[in-house]
Amino acid sequence: MPYQAIENYGVIGNMRTAALVGMNGSIDWYCPPNFDSPSVFGAILDDGKGGRFQISPIADDLRCKQFYWPSTNILVTRFAHADGIAELEDFMPAGLPSDSPWCGHVFRRIRCVRGAMRISLVCRPAFDYGRATHETSLSASGVVFKSQNMSLALYSAIAVEQDGQGGVTADFVIEEGQSQVFALRDGDTNSRVSGPPSAEEAEELFQRTVKFWRHWISGCTYRGRWRELVERSALVLKLLTFEPTGAIVAAPTTSLPEVIGGTRNWDYRYTWLRDAAFTVYAFLRLGFTAEAADFVNWIQNCADLRPHAAERLPVVFTIHGDSRLPEETLHHWEGYRQSGPVRIGNEAVEQYQNDIYGEVLDSLYLYNKYVTPIDYDFWARIRTRLDWICDNWQSPDAGIWEMRNSQKHFVYSKVMNWVALDRGVRLADKRAFPANRERWIQQRDRIYEEVMTRGWNGQRHAFTQHYGSEDLDASLLIMPLVFFLAPTDRRMLGTLRAILESPKRGGLVSDGLVYRYPPQERIDGLAGEEGTFNMCSFWLVEALTRAGQAEPEMLDQARLLFEHMLGYANHLGLYAEQTSNQGEALGNFPQAFTHLALISSAFNLDRMLGNRKA
């Protein structure tokens, strides 16, 4: 069975974990009970040994279509054939009382809506990323797969049989108006579930889940031109939220490659502090203050801003707030389309990335302004970190792109240190908090002058990636977004124009899509030419939008590029991290950062277009 394209997947979840469902009806990635738990289905990373749970018709010339039930995260895969039409509904229940026996299940309901269809079921788990063996036990109500450390229960009214490979299969026919329901959960000896839900129970669970998601998205205040896509991005972000702590994972997957056949494969099932400001900003723009507050609470609980023995704050945490993420290679898996290595854990946690303080302070400033005032005890922790920044902003670091081969004076990192001190001063002034204002202002201004002198390349008429560099960097599109520079500043416009050039002419834009830096191996020391970075493409839209205040043609260009970029979403409106030169999705999927950037650019572009009409 060949690998599906990354863009051929949809995602379902329950704010604890998520699963990827392909257009062929196969769950090829699922890590219960939490996002960062070991996988039980991982065929997306090893088609032969990864494990899958597939329900699909047995027929040639199937036509497949996938869509979300409107305003929900319930995924529907429609199979059409000359013999009939079947629809597979996949979801994890939401909105249930905590004592419901159906919490934590994956529900799969296959319905025949026309004619008759012969259906095949294959459920073949591979516990602990395929490293653990398991036993398979059949009963009248289904099957239990049990490994040494966990088990998986599949409840079904359809008789299944073992396939000799540790899995089970079934072959059955459904006729028009008939359906079959399958419920899957990580095994629990105390479970009160003894069999599959009845048709009535399944329908009630479906309707309760519909009601939950529609009620949640009804709180979205965005009413602009791209409402459907913005709401889909919001639903994705909610899906990637770990509800018990408020953390948001960067993506629910690991090691989907940035380069086919390359080694740029990383585990994104964790929470980056860098995402903080963008997450809080996006939620606030859409009216979701509770989610913004939950994320800030996670920061307060997990990220101790006081300098301590380690001094440098970890850049990434688990969803439970742990900063121990040892990186490991799964040598027994071949990787997506033979793109190894497959990694779990992330070594980036050990890096020094000095920009993160800017994103964190910006998010706290927004939270204090739009949600609720921060308290003095938290301010005391913030204040000590700001003093620490004054002493340490001069140090080189690994930068936003987490370079593994060197540390440099990255301009983006310096700008975000300026943001940290600027927001600290603003916060202290707004709340009349005790603060070392004179020192913070002095160091903030020193950073500004240094960026304007050492970060500016007069020959290129643009800011470049690091001091002394000739290379552009798309992260510098953030400058007007964080109010470091006016969007109409001569230097910002020069940087914009330089980035808009094609890579052959030293720029970063190819057919409206943006590379994060020049796509040559020399930049980061890793093999292979990666694709364009979707988040950066939306950053370019927003930078052009803001520049349109002075140059109206840039606003027109921003709209053109934005709508061009929307064409690279998959059939469900989802984005991976990157888009290849051939237009295919690359990298972990779906990526939260891309959807955050889409929300921000859509909000500001819509507002600017509205102002122009006015």
Side-chain angles (χ1 to χ4, degrees):
M1 190 178 297
Y3 289 92
Q4 291 194 81
I6 292 172
E7 63 263 28
N8 279 5
Y9 286 93
V11 62
I12 60 173
N14 61 357
M15 286 80 75
R16 300 292 192 284
T17 188
L20 296 191
V21 185
M23 291 186 72
N24 63 352
S26 182
I27 296 179
D28 289 346
W29 183 252
Y30 177 49
C31 303
N34 299 323
F35 291 108
D36 56 357
S37 299
S39 67
V40 295
F41 300 131
I44 197 169
L45 293 178
D46 193 300
D47 189 73
K49 295 179 287 188
R52 61 168 43 84
F53 180 16
Q54 183 168 6
I55 299 174
S56 60
I58 303 172
D60 295 327
D61 301 322
L62 272 176
R63 300 185 306 278
C64 303
K65 183 178 181 179
Q66 211 173 43
F67 54 93
Y68 281 109
W69 199 262
S71 301
T72 77
N73 279 313
I74 296 174
L75 188 65
V76 181
T77 307
R78 178 180 294 153
F79 303 100
H81 187 261
D83 295 335
I85 298 174
E87 291 184 347
L88 176 64
E89 297 162 343
D90 284 306
F91 66 97
M92 297 186 197
L96 302 182
S98 58
D99 61 349
S100 169
W102 298 113
C103 288
H105 284 70
V106 174
F107 281 88
R108 315 199 74 188
R109 180 167 64 174
I110 183 77
R111 302 187 305 119
C112 184
V113 298
R114 188 176 300 165
M117 298 286 271
R118 180 171 292 279
I119 306 298
S120 169
L121 177 149
V122 176
C123 185
R124 190 176 298 138
F127 290 93
D128 189 22
Y129 307 108
R131 295 180 295 191
T133 59
H134 66 270
E135 297 179 350
T136 304
S137 303
L138 303 184
S139 69
S141 62
V143 57
V144 173
F145 308 96
K146 187 172 181 58
S147 72
Q148 182 176 357
N149 296 318
M150 77 170 295
S151 60
L152 198 67
L154 173 63
Y155 302 109
S156 165
I158 294 292
V160 298
E161 58 183 32
Q162 298 193 47
D163 65 358
Q165 301 179 59
V168 295
T169 62
D171 183 339
F172 57 96
V173 174
I174 52 174
E175 297 181 348
E176 187 169 326
Q178 293 181 337
S179 65
Q180 290 293 336
V181 180
F182 304 88
L184 179 81
R185 68 160 294 154
D186 52 301
D188 181 354
T189 56
N190 297 318
S191 174
R192 288 172 285 140
V193 175
S194 58
S198 65
E200 293 76 16
E201 286 178 309
E203 180 62 20
E204 182 184 359
L205 289 164
F206 179 88
Q207 293 299 336
R208 289 191 75 141
T209 304
V210 168
K211 184 177 179 180
F212 171 86
W213 287 115
R214 287 185 171 171
H215 174 74
W216 183 81
I217 199 61
S218 69
C220 181
T221 57
Y222 178 84
R223 298 291 185 269
R225 293 164 175 79
W226 302 282
R227 181 175 175 179
E228 184 176 350
L229 283 164
V230 168
E231 288 188 349
R232 176 51 53 196
S233 290
L235 285 162
V236 170
L237 293 178
K238 182 65 172 176
L239 203 64
L240 299 182
T241 300
F242 186 63
E243 198 169 52
T245 64
I248 297 179
V249 295
T253 58
T254 180
S255 298
L256 292 181
E258 298 171 11
V259 179
I260 298 299
T263 61
R264 302 166 187 256
N265 314 323
W266 318 110
D267 194 345
Y268 276 17
R269 298 172 297 160
Y270 309 112
T271 300
W272 268 255
L273 283 180
R274 180 174 296 114
D275 298 5
F278 307 104
T279 301
V280 172
Y281 178 85
F283 276 138
L284 290 177
R285 282 302 186 197
L286 301 183
F288 295 115
T289 55
E291 283 70 21
D294 287 344
F295 196 82
V296 170
N297 287 336
W298 177 84
I299 294 173
Q300 287 186 263
N301 293 330
C302 300
D304 189 349
L305 294 175
R306 293 169 296 184
H308 44 76
E311 288 197 338
R312 297 172 179 176
L313 195 61
V315 299
V316 57
F317 294 83
T318 70
I319 51 179
H320 292 100
D322 191 353
S323 60
R324 292 167 295 178
L325 287 78
E327 191 169 287
E328 181 182 355
T329 298
L330 302 180
H331 295 286
H332 63 290
W333 274 5
E334 67 180 18
Y336 175 79
R337 289 170 56 185
Q338 293 79 50
S339 300
V342 174
R343 295 184 175 97
I344 55 175
N346 201 308
E347 227 171 58
V349 72
E350 304 295 336
Q351 290 186 347
Y352 177 46
Q353 297 174 25
N354 210 17
D355 66 282
I356 61 172
Y357 307 108
E359 287 98 349
V360 170
L361 262 295
D362 200 20
S363 69
L364 299 181
Y365 175 77
L366 292 170
Y367 173 79
N368 181 85
K369 183 175 181 180
Y370 294 109
V371 183
T372 191
I374 64 171
D375 60 35
Y376 171 76
D377 290 332
F378 192 33
W379 170 251
R381 292 159 58 187
I382 295 170
R383 181 175 60 183
T384 56
R385 179 56 68 175
L386 288 165
D387 289 337
W388 183 89
I389 293 170
C390 289
D391 294 329
N392 290 275
W393 67 265
Q394 302 92 338
S395 302
D397 72 331
I400 181 176
W401 308 127
E402 301 180 343
M403 300 292 189
R404 295 198 171 198
N405 59 340
S406 65
Q407 291 192 346
K408 299 184 184 297
H409 290 284
F410 289 102
V411 175
Y412 177 87
S413 295
K414 305 302 183 187
V415 168
M416 295 312 292
N417 275 263
W418 177 91
V419 170
L421 293 172
D422 179 72
R423 302 311 189 262
V425 171
R426 293 188 190 202
L427 191 51
D429 289 344
K430 188 173 185 63
R431 297 290 306 285
F433 277 138
N436 297 323
R437 285 175 177 80
E438 289 187 10
R439 187 180 187 217
W440 298 350
I441 292 172
Q442 180 190 49
Q443 293 301 313
R444 181 196 65 182
D445 293 348
R446 277 190 60 195
I447 297 172
Y448 196 97
E449 295 285 6
E450 186 173 290
V451 168
M452 300 301 280
T453 54
R454 300 183 64 189
W456 175 255
N457 187 307
Q459 291 184 326
R460 297 223 59 183
H461 302 290
F463 291 100
T464 51
Q465 186 176 67
H466 56 81
Y467 294 169
S469 173
E470 296 291 320
D471 296 314
L472 300 175
D473 192 311
S475 67
L476 300 180
L477 292 166
I478 206 76
M479 286 175 152
L481 280 59
V482 296
F483 308 115
F484 181 87
L485 276 179
T488 55
D489 187 285
R490 178 184 62 83
R491 295 194 183 196
M492 192 63 232
L493 293 175
T495 304
L496 258 178
R497 293 189 180 99
I499 287 174
L500 282 165
E501 294 286 352
S502 71
K504 291 182 179 180
R505 300 183 62 181
L508 299 177
V509 177
S510 174
D511 188 34
L513 306 182
V514 183
Y515 290 97
R516 52 181 174 170
Y517 42 74
Q520 284 94 32
E521 186 175 326
R522 64 180 172 82
I523 299 295
D524 57 21
L526 297 173
E529 181 176 321
E530 66 176 12
T532 56
F533 223 69
N534 293 328
M535 173 185 70
C536 295
S537 297
F538 287 119
W539 280 359
L540 175 61
V541 168
E542 190 158 355
L544 286 167
T545 296
R546 294 173 186 252
Q549 299 173 39
E551 302 192 19
E553 67 275 9
M554 284 193 169
L555 184 59
D556 294 328
Q557 189 175 12
R559 180 169 188 170
L560 181 64
L561 290 177
F562 181 77
E563 294 185 333
H564 179 70
M565 187 62 194
L566 296 182
Y568 282 97
N570 81 344
H571 57 290
L572 299 167
L574 306 181
Y575 288 90
E577 183 176 41
Q578 300 187 18
T579 300
S580 78
N581 293 333
Q582 291 74 43
E584 64 180 334
L586 290 175
N588 286 306
F589 173 88
Q591 199 212 25
F593 222 154
T594 300
H595 288 278
L596 291 167
L598 183 155
I599 290 169
S600 181
S601 58
F603 180 91
N604 287 289
L605 179 57
D606 185 72
R607 183 173 59 179
M608 285 290 292
L609 290 170
N611 290 342
R612 184 169 69 175
K613 282 190 175 183

